[in-house]
């Protein structure tokens, strides 16, 4: 299992870094489209009340919509409707989704209702959240380049790694025992500290997420923003754990050998990317 995890992780890392460093945006945008479609399929499998065709149809629709949007947004002369939709997604959908993560997802996690919920309306937040993260990542990449995306992802990765090892070493008080028994308040604190330290350190490097925040806000606000994003990454992780616990599954799928599904890999990034986009735009 460990060997399989390592091989998959190395392949994924090579693919992501290669796409980020590509001279043109198409490779990264294509990867983000595939990731979004896969995550939508996995999320819909956990919450939809229909047959197996509902998640597949939803993922296919997501794929086609995102392909169309990407073609328009990266073309030399995008259609007016595409730019209008871009404004709706960035100015309305992303703020609503961030509010949903902060209030709705956090409430759900700490309420810890693990009873199975397969209702048709639950497809809507799943679709909205996946569309929001894709839009946020694409717009951030389009405006600020690959280094911002990578430095933002590193914030999430470091928070997750630090939370794991801090929890292992010092964890005593359970964070959300009914949802994810292994997570502790001590681990969460370690993750938040690591994410904040990385954000402040990365201010030194031009074009990083930390540097862009520092251009827009005082240092204390930058640190506070890092704390918020790290906390949201934990909420995203716990919320997916809640969905899986309700559905009675360990992983969202088996698409990534040794790692479960795509949703399992991006759960923490789902709330962070839209919130990071809002912070960058707020400071303009």
């Amino acid at each position: 299992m460990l060997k399989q995890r390592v091989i998959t992780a190395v392949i994924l890392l090579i693919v992501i870094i290669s796409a980020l460093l590509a001279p043109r945006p198409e490779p990264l945008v294509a990867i983000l489209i595939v990731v979004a479609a896969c995550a939508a399929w996995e999320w819909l499998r956990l919450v939809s009340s229909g047959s197996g065709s509902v998640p597949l149809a939803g993922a296919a629709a997501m794929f086609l919509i995102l392909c169309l949007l990407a073609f328009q947004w990266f073309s030399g002369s995008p259609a007016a409707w595409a730019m209008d939709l871009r404004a709706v997604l960035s100015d309305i959908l992303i703020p609503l989704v961030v509010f949903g993560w902060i209030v709705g997802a956090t409430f759900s996690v700490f309420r810890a209702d693990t009873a199975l919920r397969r209702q048709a309306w639950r497809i809507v937040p799943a679709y909205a959240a996946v569309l929001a993260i894709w839009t946020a990542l694409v717009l951030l990449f389009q405006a600020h380049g690959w280094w911002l995306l990578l430095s933002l992802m590193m914030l999430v990765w470091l928070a997750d790694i630090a939370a794991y090892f801090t929890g292992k070493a010092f964890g005593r008080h359970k964070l959300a025992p009914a949802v994810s028994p292994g997570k502790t308040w001590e681990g969460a604190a370690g993750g938040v500290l690591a994410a904040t330290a990385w954000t402040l350190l990365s201010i030194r490097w031009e074009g990083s997420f930390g540097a862009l925040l520092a251009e827009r806000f005082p240092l204390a606000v930058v640190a506070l923003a890092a704390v918020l994003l790290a906390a949201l990454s934990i909420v995203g992780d716990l919320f997916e754990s809640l969905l899986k616990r309700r559905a009675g599954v360990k992983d969202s799928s088996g698409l990534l050998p040794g790692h479960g599904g795509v949703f399992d890999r991006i759960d923490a990034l789902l709330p962070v990317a839209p919130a990071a986009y809002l912070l960058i735009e707020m400071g303009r």
Side-chain angles (χ1 to χ4, degrees):
M1 178 62 75
L2 178 60
K3 180 180 178 181
Q4 194 176 51
R5 285 179 64 86
V6 171
I7 292 173
T8 302
V10 169
I11 292 173
L12 289 174
L13 191 61
I14 291 172
V15 170
I16 292 171
I17 297 297
S18 299
L20 285 169
L21 298 179
R24 293 186 57 82
E26 287 86 352
L28 180 62
V29 175
I31 288 174
L32 292 177
I33 290 173
V34 172
V35 167
C38 291
W41 174 67
E42 293 168 344
W43 194 332
L44 294 178
R45 290 172 73 221
L46 296 176
V47 302
S48 62
S49 56
S51 66
S53 62
V54 173
L56 188 59
M62 176 70 75
F63 180 83
L64 293 175
I65 290 168
L66 298 186
C67 284
L68 181 59
L69 290 178
F71 176 78
Q72 287 290 331
W73 292 354
F74 285 89
S75 68
S77 54
W81 67 263
M83 299 310 293
D84 290 342
L85 183 53
R86 173 177 170 148
V88 170
L89 294 175
S90 62
D91 299 343
I92 298 176
L93 178 69
I94 287 179
L96 286 175
V97 166
V98 171
F99 178 80
W101 279 113
I102 294 174
V103 177
T106 303
F107 175 77
S108 296
V109 164
F110 287 101
R111 183 175 176 232
D113 180 4
T114 58
L116 181 61
R117 298 285 188 272
R118 292 191 185 275
Q119 296 141 324
W121 69 266
R122 294 179 185 274
I123 294 174
V124 176
Y127 230 74
V130 174
L131 187 54
I133 185 180
W134 183 86
T135 301
L137 291 175
V138 166
L139 294 184
L140 285 172
F141 175 63
Q142 197 172 31
H144 304 289
W146 67 270
W147 176 220
L148 181 135
L149 283 197
L150 183 58
S151 61
L152 178 62
M153 291 177 187
M154 287 180 68
L155 181 156
V156 174
W157 297 337
L158 288 172
D160 183 53
I161 293 169
Y164 176 80
F165 285 106
T166 305
K168 280 286 186 181
F170 306 107
R172 296 293 182 273
H173 302 89
K174 299 297 184 181
L175 179 59
V179 176
S180 184
K183 290 183 171 57
T184 63
W185 283 103
E186 292 83 0
V192 169
L193 285 174
T196 305
W198 163 250
T199 303
L200 295 176
L201 178 64
S202 67
I203 291 173
R204 298 163 54 91
W205 298 299
E206 184 179 356
S208 70
F209 177 66
L212 261 71
L213 283 183
E215 291 173 6
R216 291 159 166 76
F217 303 106
L219 200 60
V221 177
V222 174
L224 185 61
V227 170
L228 170 65
L229 294 177
L232 278 176
S233 74
I234 296 169
V235 170
D237 190 341
L238 288 172
F239 185 73
E240 197 224 1
S241 295
L242 176 63
L243 295 182
K244 291 190 293 185
R245 191 165 289 276
R246 285 175 176 174
V249 297
K250 180 178 181 294
D251 298 316
S252 58
S253 79
L255 289 178
L256 302 176
H259 290 265
V262 173
F263 192 8
D264 297 315
R265 294 300 93 207
I266 69 166
D267 52 5
L269 189 61
L270 274 159
V272 169
Y277 174 81
L278 283 188
L279 287 168
I280 293 294
E281 290 301 302
M282 283 169 54
R284 290 180 63 178

